[in-house]
Amino acid sequence: MLLPMKVLGLVLPVLLLLGTPAIAVEFKGQNIDGQKLPARAYYYATGGVYKVQVSFHNKRATIYFDDGNQTTIQLNQQVITDSNNIEGFGKLGQYPLNRTFSVGLVYDNNWLGNSDNQLQQSNPLDGLWKISLE
């Protein structure tokens, strides 16, 4: 009886992995996951445009800034049809777990050009990014 349980314990995880569909970001029919690409990122919360590098993984994009900071966003689409209009959502310092939840630290936006004397108001577009590949 112990042997069939061990076999089931080894086979079941393999079957689950085989049954899970591979999700990758595609552009022009090609998987672009894992590649670091030059891009420009527009952050709706600040109105700033930043020269960055971006890498994709599943339905997420990690944006790498020149100063060493980075943020990960949840993409609105998995298949990119327009390389100048890749939108996603993610607040600075947060890592998206799924469409609803994220974890991380709360950043102030000073390193992105906000000044302390600006009124801190809630922005409905806070967290929305638009990426353009170069």
Side-chain angles (χ1 to χ4, degrees):
M1 185 69 174
L2 187 58
L3 184 59
M5 292 302 287
K6 281 188 175 182
V7 172
L8 182 62
L10 294 173
V11 172
L12 189 58
V14 172
L15 291 175
L16 289 174
L17 286 174
L18 292 176
T20 305
I23 300 172
V25 176
E26 290 184 18
F27 179 59
K28 294 184 179 178
Q30 299 292 316
N31 174 346
I32 59 172
D33 272 11
Q35 300 176 37
K36 220 178 212 186
L37 304 169
R40 295 204 181 271
Y42 175 75
Y43 189 38
Y44 285 86
T46 62
V49 177
Y50 308 95
K51 188 173 173 101
V52 298
Q53 290 189 342
V54 63
S55 67
F56 299 96
H57 181 69
N58 295 332
K59 203 174 172 191
R60 294 188 177 105
T62 301
I63 302 169
Y64 301 92
F65 298 91
D66 288 340
D67 65 0
N69 284 304
Q70 68 185 52
T71 190
T72 300
I73 64 172
Q74 181 79 28
L75 297 174
N76 291 349
Q77 70 273 7
Q78 181 180 339
V79 176
I80 297 170
T81 56
D82 182 355
S83 65
N84 291 314
N85 189 23
I86 305 166
E87 288 191 335
F89 186 85
K91 293 189 177 189
L92 296 174
Q94 299 289 305
Y95 184 80
L97 297 175
N98 58 35
R99 287 188 141 290
T100 307
F101 298 106
S102 62
V103 296
L105 302 172
V106 176
Y107 272 86
D108 65 13
N109 286 332
N110 287 339
W111 68 273
L112 281 182
N114 279 356
S115 65
D116 289 333
N117 62 2
Q118 292 177 327
L119 278 177
Q120 297 297 320
Q121 297 178 351
S122 177
N123 183 343
L125 298 176
D126 190 26
L128 187 60
W129 293 83
K130 179 180 170 185
I131 299 168
S132 299
L133 298 178
E134 294 186 341

